[in-house]
Each structure stands twice: as structure tokens, then as C-alpha cells.
Amino acid sequence: MPTANANYVDGRWSESTAGGTFETTNPADPAETVATYQQSTAEDAETAVSAAARAQQGWADTPAPERGAVLRETASILADRKGEITELLTREEGKTHAEAGGEVGRAIDIFHYYAEKSRDLGGTAKAASGARTNLYTVVNPVGVAGLITPWNYPIAIPAWKIAPALATGNSIVVKPASIAAGGAIAIFEALDEAGLPDGVANVVTGPGRTVGDAIITHEDVDAVSFTGSGEVGHLVYDKATDDGKRVQTELGGKNPTVVTDSASVAEAADVVAAGAFGVTGQACTACSRAIVHTDAYDAFVDAIVDRAEAIEVGPGDAYEMGPQVSEAELEGTLEYIDVATTEGASLRAGGGRPEGDRFGEGYYVEPTVFADVEPSHRIAREEVFGPVLSVIEVEDFAEAIAVANDVEYGLSASVVTDDHGEARRFVDEIEAGVAKINDETTGLELHVPFGGVKDSSSETWREQGDAGIGFYTIERTVYDAY
């Protein structure tokens, strides 16, 4: 039986005022309905914001360690339900069990992390220039935060927005992506059970053009955090900043891995395969370009083709790579594969939908490798949100850096090299918010800043770690002459 889900507003589970619902389906078996959610309206969103505004001061006045205790209990509840939520992510988003379980574990860790960070929110003391003066800072919440989250990490990304916002005394309204809203709902079930006061956290499901827009433009919303596509993100940024709100956006990527002539080809192929084909390539940090020195190029192409062809595709409960999340995402990937072929790239692996009984009507695509890709090709410049890798040949390290930087995005980038000088130069010269050495472009630590440059981000505020706290707080300086 599909799970029926309600909105969570002012401490109560409630239906949309319009009474409509929508369904999510299993991308491995689209005939299976996974859950139903509220098809909410702008009125529902406005009600949620009003509840958050009423509750915010009381939550801000709650001692920070007490707020942290609620987050700690939330983490424990999620941990108790980890198996159930893992299964939900696999059925609703298409991740493998290993990927989904890792994501749920990440959400649990985030709530534990910010539960402890809540003890460190006391500001700082400084030496005053004059006598008999105390000079120090205090940290205050921004107010009401509107959080809009994507489908590709349906519990981890909501967690890394919700936890720091609540730890620092803000109230929140969350609009999760409709295509995989179950992870966010699971967080709110845990928050409710953990004893969060009414109105402090609210979730409203439904279309971004109505629910999201109502949250972004509401006069009582003080800050907006958005993760999603660049096209939507720029609209969100413009609307929110027009009203003077604090805004952070994390958008797309066209992430490169540079393979130098000093690298082990086998190691490089392992690193690139993990970054390109993990989570079916549906990550903003996924590797979509391997930029390879000419001396290693042929051997690397052979090795990465072997890695791609060895991946077992199928339902996430039993195979290494699951389906894409929807028919629209699958069609977009297949369209880019056609474009790459038309532009003259050489298809070396994959390139189509796999055949066999286990695939049925699922939204599967083969891990795909293109060689002979030119930096000017669309496949090398535009984000392809699927397991498609472009391999680009370069003559030297300087050309590799130039090609890596010659795109509109700058989120994550890596280099595979045994030359320490090249590694340091890569860190200095790459235009990306995340730089990795001998590691895949995907995978993030939760206690350090995350964000991009250029069109990958608004370049305003970072997420996670102390940076996540910074976005949700305002520092006030106090001069106390006694």
C-alpha cells in the first residue's frame, strides 16, 4: 500500500486546503506507487510561514544546548528507523541500498553534529582599546528561513539545511522536491517525536511555482536556502534578493577529473568511475569530464570502458547502479547521448537503455563513456545529470587546467597525480569550490564548508560545518563600559 503523507504545519499533520494530492512512483518499476503527498497551495505555504513567524522568538529564547537536545533525539529516532527510510529512498529515488543507507547515515550524523555545535554559539570576546570596557559578540538567529531542497539527496540535503537552522534558533518552512519528498517527511516525523515546539519547523509539499514562490516572497521569511537547477536557482535568487532576504543557492556542476602523465591509470580509472557512475551520475558533484594527458589517454580510455561495462545495472535492492529518478531525467540523458554522437564524439561504452527482463519499464540507462570529446562539444560544457562521462585529451598540465576551468560551472574538481607540485598547482589554479587530490569529485565531509563558484553557486554563503551556522546567524557586537 502507498504511504499517505500530510503537511506538517504548526505542530500538526494536516491536508492541503485545496484537498488535492499527487503520487510518487518507483523509478525501477513505474507502475508501483510509492506514496501520496499533499498538492499544496500558496495559502498552505503562507499558513506555514505565519506559524513559523509566531514560533521563532520562543525557539530563539530556548537555551542553545536545549535546542541541541532536540536535534540529538531527532538523530536517534532517524537511526532507529534507518532501515525503513533506506528502503523508502531506494523505492522513491532509485538509489541502491548501499547509497541510500549511506545517505540516511549522513543525515543522522548531521543532526548529531549540529546538536553538539549548539553548545558553541556564545560569540567571542575581544580586547577593548579603552579601560573598563568589555568588548564581545553575541550570535542571533536570522529569523524565519525558507528551505527548498532537491530530489537527488532527498534526506541528506534537507538535513544539512534544517539542522543548522534549528540549532541556531531559527524557525523554518521546507518545500521538498515533489519527485522524492519522503526523506524530508521522515525528518519531520522525527522532529515531531523528539518534541520540537509547535510551529518551529514546517513542511509543505507541492509545486515550486506556487508553494516555493509563496515561501520565497513572503514578507516574514528572512532567509532562503535553495539547492537545485541553475535555471530555477537564478529565479529564486532574484526574487529573494529583491525583497532584501539573505540567500544562498547551490546549483549545478560540470565537474572535471584531471589525469596527469604521472598518475596510475588503474587508480585514475577507479577514481573517475566512482565519481561518474555512483548514484547513477545524479549528483551535482558527479564527474562528467575526464581530462587526460596524451601519454595516458589510450590506456585510460580502455580502463574506464572496462569499469563502465563491469557495472551491474538493475533495481537498487540488488545491483550496483539503479535507474534514473524519472522518465524526464532519462530522456534528458539519452538526448545528450544523441547530441554527443552527432557532434562527433566516439561512443566507447553504453549509450542506451539496457535490455532484459529485470529492467521492465524502469528508467535505466547504461553507464556511458565518450572518447574523442572536444572541449567545445555540448557534452563537455553542459550539465548531464546522468551516468555519462566525456574523456578529453590534452597535451600537458597547463592545457588540462585551462580546459577544466573553461566552463560556466565551478563546483567540485579532482586531480589524479603522483607529482606533489602538480597537486599544489591544481589546488591553486582550479576554479572550483571543492578541490580533491587522488579522490573522486563526489563525497563530502559534513564539518567543512561546501559550495561552488561561478554558475554553481550564488557565491554568497557556504553550507555545512561552521559555514552552515554562519548563514543562519547574525553577529552582534557589544561594547560594555562599566
Side-chain angles (χ1 to χ4, degrees):
M1 282 289 293
T3 302
N5 294 283
N7 291 332
Y8 185 74
V9 177
D10 205 12
R12 291 179 293 277
W13 296 100
S14 57
E15 296 181 354
S16 166
T17 54
T21 62
F22 64 91
E23 297 178 342
T24 58
T25 59
N26 185 343
D29 180 10
E32 177 194 350
T33 299
V34 176
T36 62
Y37 299 93
Q38 300 302 307
Q39 185 79 346
S40 304
T41 65
E43 181 182 349
D44 296 319
E46 290 163 3
T47 300
V49 173
S50 296
R54 291 192 300 271
Q56 193 275 318
Q57 190 59 56
W59 182 241
D61 291 340
T62 302
E66 188 175 330
R67 298 195 298 261
V70 174
L71 300 187
R72 193 175 303 109
E73 180 63 16
T74 299
S76 296
I77 294 166
L78 291 173
D80 289 341
R81 295 182 58 199
K82 183 178 179 182
E84 168 196 345
I85 300 170
T86 295
E87 177 66 24
L88 171 62
L89 263 61
T90 293
R91 292 176 60 227
E92 191 168 63
E93 196 273 347
K95 282 183 167 67
T96 67
H97 269 202
E99 292 165 346
E103 182 182 344
V104 178
R106 175 60 172 266
I108 293 165
D109 289 346
I110 288 168
F111 274 96
H112 275 304
Y113 174 78
Y114 284 108
E116 299 310 311
K117 292 298 289 184
S118 66
R119 300 177 187 273
D120 298 329
L121 299 175
T124 58
K126 301 291 184 179
S129 299
R132 294 191 174 187
T133 300
N134 292 325
L135 182 63
Y136 60 95
T137 65
V138 295
V139 176
N140 300 111
V142 172
V144 177
L147 313 178
I148 301 175
T149 62
W151 54 260
N152 61 324
Y153 285 93
I155 192 167
I157 292 179
W160 81 45
K161 296 179 188 293
I162 291 169
L166 295 180
T168 50
N170 299 274
S171 60
I172 61 172
V173 180
V174 179
K175 208 298 282 186
S178 295
I179 202 166
I185 295 295
I187 289 176
F188 276 84
E189 291 170 344
L191 288 168
D192 181 55
E193 187 178 339
L196 187 74
D198 294 351
V200 171
N202 309 269
V203 62
V204 183
T205 57
R209 63 183 178 276
T210 52
V211 175
D213 193 66
I215 294 169
I216 293 162
T217 59
H218 198 291
E219 62 182 2
D220 287 336
V221 170
D222 302 291
V224 173
S225 179
F226 171 89
T227 300
S229 72
E231 180 182 2
V232 177
H234 292 309
L235 293 174
V236 168
Y237 183 85
D238 290 342
K239 287 182 179 181
T241 53
D242 282 348
D243 293 335
K245 303 182 193 306
R246 180 178 291 198
V247 187
Q248 65 178 183
T249 63
E250 295 301 339
L251 311 172
K254 193 64 183 173
N255 310 296
T257 294
V258 171
V259 179
T260 73
D261 58 341
S262 69
S264 160
V265 169
E267 178 187 358
D270 288 341
V271 165
V272 171
F277 306 129
V279 294
T280 320
Q282 297 178 132
C284 56
T285 54
C287 175
S288 61
R289 295 181 295 155
I291 302 171
V292 185
H293 191 282
T294 187
D295 289 348
Y297 183 81
D298 290 337
F300 175 83
V301 170
D302 290 341
I304 195 65
V305 166
D306 288 344
R307 302 299 192 281
E309 292 179 340
I311 294 172
E312 293 188 331
V313 180
D317 57 357
Y319 292 90
E320 294 177 77
M321 192 181 92
Q324 297 216 247
V325 72
S326 68
E327 185 175 16
E329 291 295 329
L330 172 63
E331 289 176 350
T333 298
L334 293 174
E335 181 179 340
Y336 269 110
I337 290 171
D338 288 342
V339 167
T341 303
T342 300
E343 288 187 330
S346 174
L347 179 64
R348 296 292 301 272
R353 301 184 68 169
E355 297 179 355
D357 292 341
R358 73 170 179 260
F359 303 112
E361 299 299 319
Y363 306 131
Y364 295 100
V365 64
E366 297 166 323
T368 298
V369 176
F370 281 100
D372 305 319
V373 177
E374 297 295 331
S376 59
H377 287 172
R378 285 180 60 192
I379 197 86
R381 306 194 66 79
E382 300 175 14
E383 185 175 40
V384 183
F385 221 58
V388 179
L389 176 70
S390 300
V391 187
I392 303 170
E393 184 176 3
V394 292
E395 294 295 327
D396 53 32
F397 188 78
E399 184 184 1
I401 292 292
V403 170
N405 288 338
D406 188 27
V407 292
E408 296 177 352
Y409 298 103
L411 187 54
S412 183
S414 71
V415 62
V416 185
T417 180
D418 282 342
D419 184 322
H420 184 69
E422 287 178 337
R424 290 304 311 163
R425 187 175 165 193
F426 179 82
V427 171
D428 290 342
E429 298 180 18
I430 195 68
E431 295 172 359
V434 176
K436 293 190 168 188
I437 301 166
N438 297 325
D439 199 4
E440 61 261 29
T441 57
T442 52
L444 304 168
E445 296 276 6
L446 61 86
H447 56 292
V448 290
F450 170 65
V453 298
K454 300 191 284 189
D455 277 358
S456 289
S457 171
S458 57
E459 298 189 7
T460 46
W461 302 85
R462 293 298 195 230
E463 296 192 273
Q464 304 200 95
D466 288 334
I469 289 173
F471 175 69
Y472 295 104
T473 57
I474 297 173
E475 199 167 27
R476 179 179 300 155
T477 303
V478 179
Y479 296 79
D480 176 15
Y482 59 91

